Amino acid sequence: MACGITATEKNGDVYYFVQWSVLSKADRYEIIKKVPALAGVFEVYWMDEKKRLRLFIIGKTDYGGLRSELRRVIDPELCRGDEKAIKILEEKEMWYRYAPTDSSNVMADINWYYMQNYFPENKTIKNSGRYQNIFLKESAPDKLMWVP
């Protein structure tokens, strides 16, 4: 199955299914060759000393697409002001995955769902406001161990 996002609406609720891309090592040249210039959601991870992936950023992009945003996010030269992030980008192995969608409302709902589950204290991210409840299932070709 190709990566992407599908949705089913029922009684004012939405059920999203996120099919992630293959988890890939972040390399600017490989991203340019392999990642589509489509809108979507993405996650970037860094590899710790115990060979576990740690979440670096969750994001969404429409303008410029996944290719340019992932390329920008992994470049320490473009990361200004956040010394901790720059150090991670310069010293650690980075990994990414993505799921394309052309709907900004879907991206808002997906991004909100992940932020609510990964970082419940962060109340700045808003969903689309279209549904009473948002449910999500995901699938990925890799088994991903996420460590907060």
Side-chain angles (χ1 to χ4, degrees):
M1 177 181 184
C3 60
I5 301 169
T6 57
T8 304
E9 298 176 26
K10 185 176 179 183
N11 300 327
D13 297 337
V14 66
Y15 299 81
Y16 287 111
F17 180 72
V18 178
Q19 176 64 48
W20 289 106
S21 67
V22 172
L23 186 65
S24 300
K25 188 173 178 183
D27 171 87
R28 67 180 79 173
Y29 304 110
E30 291 298 312
I31 287 173
I32 290 168
K33 287 194 284 187
K34 295 181 178 177
V35 176
L38 300 172
V41 295
F42 63 89
E43 293 179 336
V44 176
Y45 300 87
W46 59 277
M47 185 78 70
D48 71 10
E49 297 76 22
K50 295 180 181 177
K51 298 294 182 193
R52 293 183 296 185
L53 293 174
R54 295 186 177 262
L55 186 63
F56 183 71
I57 189 172
I58 301 167
K60 61 185 178 86
T61 181
D62 15 43
Y63 183 73
L66 290 162
R67 179 185 306 147
S68 63
E69 187 63 9
L70 282 167
R71 170 65 184 85
R72 185 191 67 75
V73 165
I74 66 151
D75 192 335
E77 293 176 11
L78 299 176
C79 185
R80 292 190 166 70
D82 187 346
E83 295 303 319
K84 183 178 177 183
I86 292 170
K87 183 174 174 128
I88 289 171
L89 289 168
E90 289 176 341
E91 297 177 2
K92 304 296 183 182
E93 190 174 279
M94 305 300 291
W95 293 77
Y96 70 92
R97 65 182 184 174
Y98 61 88
T101 180
D102 59 0
S103 169
S104 59
N105 284 329
V106 169
M107 286 186 274
D109 290 344
I110 300 290
N111 203 38
W112 174 86
Y113 182 89
Y114 283 120
M115 290 300 286
Q116 290 299 302
N117 285 283
Y118 293 160
F119 309 105
E121 69 283 355
N122 183 343
K123 303 294 184 197
T124 61
I125 305 296
K126 305 289 184 210
N127 62 40
S128 69
R130 300 176 299 158
Y131 304 106
Q132 291 176 346
N133 297 297
I134 297 171
F135 301 97
L136 187 140
K137 285 187 178 182
E138 62 181 0
S139 180
D142 323 280
K143 293 187 180 191
L144 177 62
M145 181 179 162
W146 181 75
V147 178

